[in-house]
Amino acid sequence: MGKLFINKYCHIKNNKVFLDGKLVFSDDEDHDMKPFLKSVYRFLKPSYNKFFKMDEISKLAYLCSEYLLQDFDLSAFNKDEIAIVLSNSYSTLITDQNHQNTIEVADNFFPSPSIFVYTLPNIMIGEIAIRHKINGENIFFIVENFDAGLLTDHINNLYLTRKAKVFIGGWVNMGPESYEAFLYLLSPSGQTGNNALEIEKIYNT
Amino acid sequence: MAYFLSTNIISSIGFTSEENFSALKNGVIGIKPVSEPSLYPEDFMAATINRAALKQKLISIQAAEIDFTFLERTMIYSIKQSLENTNVDPKSKSTLFIISTTKGNVDLLEKSKRHDVDPERVALWRMAEVISSFFGNPNKAICISNACISGVLALNTAAMYINADQYENIIVCGGDIISRFVVSGFMSFLSLSDEPCKPFDRDRNGLSLGEAAGTIILSKNPSASKQGIKFIGGATANDANHISGPSRTAEGSYIAIKKAMSEAGISPGQIDHISAHGTATPYNDEMESIAISRHNLQDAATNGIKGSVGHTLGAAGIIETAILLEEMRNNTLLKTSGYKNHGLSEQINISTENSVLELNTCLKMASGFGGSNAALIIQKI
């Protein structure tokens, strides 16, 4: 069995989008994250109405995956050979707090299913899977910091046990004061081999 | 190959795997009316842990009242129980902790409640670290949060690590509690039953929530396995269809089972028994019957335990696999609490009575929000 290679990576942070390390979009107006995500959407023009129903972290994950997959032909692979391996530190804290605000006090109690459903981090995986019709392996890890070793170990294990051939790996995190999405795409062909050091390197570019 | 070493279940119906198994055999239902305005403004049904009874046992854990949340203490106690009578060293570099939870200490978000622990413990990675640190484990604990398949996914991941020779022993512990957060959320989905839930039944009308902590220790050492059972295949798959409803064709569940069987190198005819997810929501149970039927597994004896212990979220896959191990060790098929009348489009074989049955190869299924599905297959050595 051959190796896996890094085909593409996308990093969204500080109101900037980087594709394979190059700046592809930035919002010069000092926007908050919410309007920034909308402006990325308008720039990409994916016309995907489900976007507007998503919570903020799913929007972030979705937009990052749009950049990552826009020039990659997923149809060359079986849908169940494509795995999504994601991680973050805050799980869904921002949406958890939104749900908590709807239930905190008895005289202002109005929990909503459209908020509650987003209080699970793997909903991000679900949104990416729905958009790109991906049926393969899923996992969501909660770790303190971005952990290239953990992701690489898990992906290699899935690859060596022939459970997937193409991988979307990465980190989509949103806390009270910061947000960051970093996704990378691995397949059995390419130039840069997949290992924890390389992933760490592209994460830090 | 990964072998099952020992298990523990802390649930509404008992504090060991044996107690839970015998309660299920005797038809004990842990789901009861709960009147607790701090959890939900109206009465609701849920399977809660008897905290007063557990408290006596938890005293053995140092500084029990101050340093740990109820969930952490319960998970620590569950792990302690499962470590007894094994030679697994939790302090060893070759032992790993994998923690499975959907919402962990989410009750720490409640502003109106006084909290005795650092609010940072609402972070799931931090909770995992607190638990593995209690046992002095030198490795970074892995925390998996993947909705209702978290438990099965944690076991699959553990088996994969052992098969890759990365660890000798892996302690997989799952836990979730009944909280205002979770009860109100499921209530808003109108998915909670107003009586103990009825998996696969014609009149099923929603799920019952439960709380539990469960532990399973997997080892690469077959001679240590008193259970005499090994893990032979596991997989996950996504429906790619809807974030809160299962696929009508059971696509993800079908793929997960197919891949698990392929890794196990077995055919459907070899599966003696299926422990289904069986939440008792109309769509989930129908979907599972389609997945089972698409694999020609209609004759395999199928059951589920959520009609007794409720849906225990991040613990579910672990405690349900622990019960499956008990069924296999005792060659006893458990009845499905809450099931009376067939109410699925597919004719699958749901158990209605406890019976003696040679159980060699068994399948565990799980499904959850986000279109996630998982399967694992275990077999007697």
Side-chain angles (χ1 to χ4, degrees), chain B residues 281-296:
Chain B
T281 61
Y283 290 120
N284 174 81
D285 295 6
E286 174 68 13
M287 180 281 287
E288 284 192 290
S289 80
I290 293 167
I292 289 168
S293 158
R294 280 183 68 186
H295 279 295
N296 291 316

Side-chain angles (χ1 to χ4, degrees), chain A residues 80 89 92 96 99-101 103-104 113 116 119 121-122 126 129 133 135-142 153 157 163, chain B residues 103 110-112 125 143 145-147 164 166 180-181 184-185 188 234-240 258-259 263 369-370:
Chain A
D80 62 2
S89 163
T92 51
D96 289 1
H99 175 64
Q100 185 64 36
N101 292 341
I103 61 168
E104 186 70 36
F116 181 66
T119 63
N122 64 299
K133 298 280 162 241
N135 292 121
E137 286 275 341
N138 294 174
I139 193 163
F140 207 107
F141 292 109
I142 310 292
D153 269 357
N157 282 341
K163 286 180 190 154
Chain B
K103 296 313 302 173
E110 294 172 27
K111 296 177 198 81
S112 43
W125 63 265
C143 179
S145 187
N146 210 102
Q166 281 161 299
R180 186 176 176 89
F181 188 101
S184 65
S188 75
T236 66
N238 199 290
D239 289 331
K258 183 182 79 176
K259 286 187 167 181
E263 182 177 37
F369 277 175

Side-chain angles (χ1 to χ4, degrees), chain B residues 204-344:
Chain B
R204 68 188 184 278
N205 65 350
L207 58 84
S208 299
L209 286 169
E211 59 187 356
T215 307
I216 290 182
I217 305 181
L218 281 162
S219 174
K220 73 172 196 184
N221 181 4
S223 62
S225 173
K226 289 186 205 77
Q227 305 270 342
I229 297 168
K230 61 187 175 184
F231 180 104
I232 57 171
T236 66
N238 199 290
D239 289 331
N241 175 62
H242 197 279
I243 53 167
S244 59
S247 156
R248 282 179 197 278
T249 56
E251 198 57 21
S253 183
Y254 174 81
I255 294 169
I257 295 169
K258 183 182 79 176
K259 286 187 167 181
M261 285 198 298
S262 150
E263 182 177 37
I266 61 159
S267 58
Q270 287 170 268
I271 292 177
D272 301 311
H273 168 33
I274 302 170
S275 164
H277 190 53
T279 60
T281 61
Y283 290 120
N284 174 81
D285 295 6
E286 174 68 13
M287 180 281 287
E288 284 192 290
S289 80
I290 293 167
I292 289 168
S293 158
R294 280 183 68 186
H295 279 295
N296 291 316
L297 285 164
Q298 294 95 323
D299 295 333
T302 300
N303 67 7
I305 65 167
K306 290 190 177 72
S308 171
V309 297
H311 191 346
T312 57
L313 308 175
I318 293 167
I319 70 168
E320 290 166 18
T321 302
I323 290 297
L324 185 54
L325 289 164
E326 290 297 311
E327 287 185 286
M328 290 172 78
R329 287 201 309 151
N330 292 284
N331 282 320
T332 301
L333 172 72
L334 291 172
K335 63 184 170 189
T336 305
S337 280
Y339 174 77
K340 276 200 194 86
N341 300 303
H342 190 81
L344 306 158

Side-chain angles (χ1 to χ4, degrees), chain B residues 27-283:
Chain B
V28 176
I29 308 286
I31 304 161
K32 296 193 164 65
V34 177
S35 303
E36 182 49 70
S38 71
L39 290 173
Y40 197 71
E42 293 152 30
D43 291 4
F44 65 100
M45 303 294 290
T48 55
I49 292 172
N50 183 337
R51 296 192 182 205
L54 187 61
K55 201 169 175 182
Q56 286 309 308
K57 299 181 184 285
L58 295 179
I59 285 170
S60 63
I61 295 169
Q62 302 154 7
E65 292 300 321
I66 307 148
D67 293 327
F68 300 104
T69 64
F70 172 73
L71 176 60
E72 289 161 0
R73 271 181 284 149
T74 308
M75 291 172 81
I76 287 170
Y77 180 69
S78 174
I79 293 168
K80 275 188 105 165
Q81 295 298 106
S82 67
L83 279 167
E84 264 175 31
N85 307 316
T86 72
N87 52 13
V88 174
D89 177 9
K91 292 188 176 67
S92 164
K93 188 84 189 133
S94 63
T95 302
L96 177 73
F97 281 71
I98 298 184
I99 302 297
S100 154
T101 185
T102 63
K103 296 313 302 173
N105 293 315
V106 75
D107 50 330
L108 295 179
L109 289 180
E110 294 172 27
K111 296 177 198 81
S112 43
K113 245 191 189 170
R114 196 178 69 87
H115 303 294
D116 295 327
V117 303
D118 181 352
E120 195 196 25
R121 293 263 269 285
V122 78
L124 303 180
W125 63 265
R126 181 76 186 113
M127 184 184 86
E129 188 181 77
V130 162
I131 293 168
S132 69
S133 303
F134 175 88
F135 293 94
N137 187 261
N139 298 307
K140 208 188 278 180
I142 289 178
C143 179
I144 295 172
S145 187
N146 210 102
C148 305
I149 72 161
S150 299
V152 173
L153 181 50
L155 292 168
N156 287 353
T157 303
M160 217 161 60
Y161 275 119
I162 285 177
N163 289 338
D165 266 336
Q166 281 161 299
Y167 295 94
E168 258 173 59
N169 298 298
I170 301 186
I171 297 165
V172 184
C173 180
D176 265 305
I177 51 162
I178 299 282
S179 61
R180 186 176 176 89
F181 188 101
V182 168
V183 176
S184 65
F186 277 98
M187 278 289 188
S188 75
F189 256 102
L190 307 174
S191 56
L192 293 190
S193 174
D194 53 4
E195 50 192 338
C197 72
K198 299 172 174 174
F200 301 105
D201 191 78
R202 184 187 64 198
D203 302 323
R204 68 188 184 278
N205 65 350
L207 58 84
S208 299
L209 286 169
E211 59 187 356
T215 307
I216 290 182
I217 305 181
L218 281 162
S219 174
K220 73 172 196 184
N221 181 4
S223 62
S225 173
K226 289 186 205 77
Q227 305 270 342
I229 297 168
K230 61 187 175 184
F231 180 104
I232 57 171
T236 66
N238 199 290
D239 289 331
N241 175 62
H242 197 279
I243 53 167
S244 59
S247 156
R248 282 179 197 278
T249 56
E251 198 57 21
S253 183
Y254 174 81
I255 294 169
I257 295 169
K258 183 182 79 176
K259 286 187 167 181
M261 285 198 298
S262 150
E263 182 177 37
I266 61 159
S267 58
Q270 287 170 268
I271 292 177
D272 301 311
H273 168 33
I274 302 170
S275 164
H277 190 53
T279 60
T281 61
Y283 290 120

Side-chain angles (χ1 to χ4, degrees), chain B residues 316-380:
Chain B
I318 293 167
I319 70 168
E320 290 166 18
T321 302
I323 290 297
L324 185 54
L325 289 164
E326 290 297 311
E327 287 185 286
M328 290 172 78
R329 287 201 309 151
N330 292 284
N331 282 320
T332 301
L333 172 72
L334 291 172
K335 63 184 170 189
T336 305
S337 280
Y339 174 77
K340 276 200 194 86
N341 300 303
H342 190 81
L344 306 158
S345 62
E346 305 296 326
Q347 291 297 324
I348 62 168
N349 180 13
I350 306 289
S351 71
T352 53
E353 296 296 333
N354 299 326
S355 53
V356 176
L357 191 66
E358 181 72 29
L359 299 174
N360 288 313
T361 306
C362 298
L363 165 68
K364 172 80 203 106
M365 297 166 67
S367 295
F369 277 175
S372 55
N373 298 272
L376 64 81
I377 299 172
I378 59 183
Q379 190 172 55
K380 279 188 189 151

